[in-house]
Amino acid sequence: MEDDAPVIYGLEFQARALTAQTAETDAIRFLVGTQSLKFDNQIHIIDFDDENNIINKNVLLHQAGEIWHIGASPADKAVLTTCYNKSESYCFLLSLAPFTTSLCFSFFFSSDSRLVSCAAVWRMPSDWETGSHESPDDSAHNPQTLELLCRLDDSAHGNAACVLWEPMGDGKRVISLADNNALLWDLQESSTQATVSSTATLEGKGQLKFTAGKWSPHHNCSQLATANDTAIRGWDLRTMSQIYCIENAHGQLVRDLDFNPNRQYYLASCGDDCKVKFWDVRNVQEPIKTLEEHSHWVWSVRYNHSHDQLVLTASSDSRLILSNMVSISSEPFGHLVDDEELSEGEDNHQEDKSKEPLKDSVVSTYEEHEDSVYAAEWSSADPWLFASLSYDGRLVINRVPRALKYRILL
């Protein structure tokens, strides 16, 4: 049973920001943000034609700065957020007025500029979708510009690291992580206004900074997980208070987090210790599973939205790995099992050999990249398709092997 070949798309600039267009459930679409210091940065809208195995693109200008993080609204497919760097220069004016003349001489002195990390909400032009397939080359040569809806900047709270949309929400709430602050924003007036409704602050010794976060789709979207240095923390968004802490979750910096979409207490993490760990946040003393398949920093971990045994990990070793973590999934015995059934019927399952959990395994290692793979995302329209992005601007679209797909479905 032959699998389809991967489809590769090359961007002109370096890139590390990737997201699926969450609100689009019919077309297979991804958004990519570029990182260029010399030229205007861009948002590439990537449409994948599954039948013909080809990519259609549209390019929008993001003139605000190089993009470090991108997020798509779960309710409006034309709305997105970015975290980006911009340069701020400071200058002062010195005027000299000679005593013998009415002339005035002015001199500008400019100090060194500094980079500031900002966040904003944007809207795509109204006609971006209608013209995207007619002349895709024109969009690259004459790109349209994103419309700024509102900024999520609050200089008092520091530099923005990422913006998280409320999962399955109406697109009216986002969380931004800025230095050691988590800010919950309410978006109003069609996202043109943003107000901070509540905040949480990371307290402790030294200069603490959030490096990653994930908004849980469970518990009525009232919980948030964050990473700072080697620790993982859980937060109750109703009180903005800490509810659990995993100290030294990884031996080095924690890079990314993701919640299991079907098991409300299960959380995956990855970091610079080359490991991927799976946690039950009810008992955080030890991870329930650890993967050590990568040979360098692991930047991204993603659960499949429908079949949570499928987990993607992306690393600086230039590889993308698809793992089948069936033993800790919601279908460890080949059918859907909830947490209560697992705990109550554990003895019976162990007695019955036919009901033993299936073995975890590495399904496939993808090596189409030649640079650090910073991001991996599942399609929101097709649960068997995913994209990965490396720093050299290479986007690769792959599919779950057919044999595994049919084994899961049948």
Side-chain angles (χ1 to χ4, degrees):
M1 187 182 296
E2 256 187 68
D3 290 309
D4 293 316
V7 178
I8 299 175
Y9 172 75
L11 284 80
E12 184 181 355
F13 305 130
Q14 295 171 325
R16 64 194 299 156
L18 168 70
T19 185
Q21 193 179 42
T22 317
E24 178 57 79
T25 55
D26 295 326
I28 299 168
R29 186 174 295 142
F30 296 94
L31 308 178
V32 183
T34 66
Q35 284 195 325
S36 172
L37 291 172
K38 293 183 179 180
F39 305 99
D40 285 337
N41 282 281
Q42 304 169 339
I43 301 286
H44 286 239
I45 305 168
I46 306 299
D47 277 274
F48 182 63
D49 182 344
D50 196 26
E51 290 184 7
N52 299 306
N53 219 38
I54 59 173
I55 282 175
N56 296 297
K57 69 174 182 182
N58 198 358
V59 180
L60 302 175
L61 283 183
H62 182 279
Q63 296 171 320
E66 53 177 351
I67 303 166
W68 287 80
H69 184 271
I70 186 170
S73 166
D76 187 340
K77 58 186 178 181
V79 174
L80 63 137
T81 54
T82 61
C83 292
Y84 56 93
N85 280 355
K86 71 174 182 179
S87 179
E88 284 191 350
S89 332
Y90 296 92
C91 61
F92 59 93
L93 176 67
L94 177 62
S95 296
L96 299 176
F99 293 107
T100 57
T101 178
S102 59
L103 294 176
C104 178
F105 300 94
S106 299
F107 301 90
F108 284 94
F109 294 88
S110 179
S111 67
D112 291 337
S113 61
R114 65 174 183 136
L115 284 178
V116 180
S117 298
C118 306
V121 184
W122 309 86
R123 178 176 291 280
M124 299 177 190
S126 56
D127 58 344
W128 69 269
E129 195 169 16
T130 56
S132 61
H133 305 306
E134 295 172 5
S135 52
D137 290 334
D138 291 343
S139 73
H141 292 109
N142 302 295
Q144 295 178 283
T145 302
L146 289 165
E147 174 194 353
L148 175 65
L149 294 179
C150 65
R151 299 190 188 279
L152 302 175
D153 298 341
D154 191 331
S155 56
H157 290 98
N159 291 317
C162 64
V163 175
L164 312 170
W165 289 89
E166 181 179 19
M168 301 169 291
D170 55 4
K172 294 183 178 179
R173 293 208 304 169
V174 295
I175 291 172
S176 66
L177 300 181
D179 284 351
N180 65 329
N181 299 287
L183 293 82
L184 179 59
W185 300 80
D186 289 329
L187 302 181
Q188 300 149 352
E189 303 297 326
S190 301
S191 299
T192 58
Q193 294 180 13
T195 55
V196 177
S197 60
S198 54
T199 62
T201 303
L202 188 60
E203 297 176 346
K205 296 179 181 179
Q207 293 183 330
L208 301 179
K209 287 186 178 182
F210 290 119
T211 55
K214 198 71 177 183
W215 198 327
S216 172
H218 309 293
H219 314 288
N220 294 319
C221 298
S222 65
Q223 292 186 14
L224 168 74
T226 61
N228 68 285
D229 198 20
T230 62
I232 298 171
R233 302 172 194 272
W235 305 83
D236 187 331
L237 297 175
R238 295 165 295 187
T239 59
M240 297 306 273
S241 58
Q242 189 173 298
I243 50 178
Y244 59 82
C245 179
I246 311 174
E247 296 283 1
N248 299 313
H250 285 261
Q252 297 180 50
L253 187 71
V254 181
R255 291 284 178 185
D256 199 17
L257 304 166
D258 198 23
F259 280 99
N260 186 311
N262 298 329
R263 301 193 70 178
Q264 59 183 328
Y265 299 109
Y266 278 29
L267 174 71
S269 64
C270 63
D272 286 0
D273 57 1
C274 312
K275 296 178 182 178
V276 179
K277 296 186 178 182
F278 299 87
W279 307 89
D280 184 335
V281 298
R282 295 168 297 184
N283 180 11
V284 296
Q285 301 304 313
E286 294 289 337
I288 54 175
K289 203 84 178 179
T290 300
L291 294 180
E292 300 183 49
E293 301 296 334
H294 287 287
S295 58
H296 208 266
W297 303 346
V298 187
W299 285 86
S300 180
V301 57
R302 286 291 179 270
Y303 277 107
N304 185 287
H305 307 309
S306 302
H307 308 284
D308 57 279
Q309 63 264 53
L310 301 178
V311 178
L312 285 173
T313 54
S315 167
S316 299
D317 62 10
S318 304
R319 296 186 302 159
L320 179 74
I321 294 179
L322 174 62
S323 300
N324 187 19
M325 305 304 297
V326 66
S327 71
I328 55 173
S329 73
S330 57
E331 301 181 4
F333 308 102
H335 63 279
L336 192 64
V337 179
D338 60 29
D339 289 337
E340 289 183 8
E341 186 181 344
L342 272 176
S343 56
E344 290 174 3
E346 195 174 48
D347 295 335
N348 294 331
H349 287 312
Q350 288 177 350
E351 289 172 10
D352 187 349
K353 295 289 184 183
S354 65
K355 293 184 179 179
E356 284 186 358
L358 303 173
K359 301 283 185 182
D360 298 330
S361 62
V362 171
V363 176
S364 189
T365 299
Y366 301 91
E367 299 184 347
E368 290 87 12
H369 293 283
E370 297 177 358
D371 205 341
S372 295
V373 187
Y374 282 131
E377 295 287 348
W378 293 96
S379 164
S380 56
D382 183 345
W384 309 106
L385 187 139
F386 53 90
S388 55
L389 178 68
S390 53
Y391 189 56
D392 56 4
R394 179 177 294 185
L395 178 81
V396 181
I397 293 179
N398 270 297
R399 298 174 180 83
V400 174
R402 281 200 181 98
L404 176 60
K405 172 182 175 179
Y406 293 137
R407 197 183 316 149
I408 291 173
L409 290 175
L410 303 176

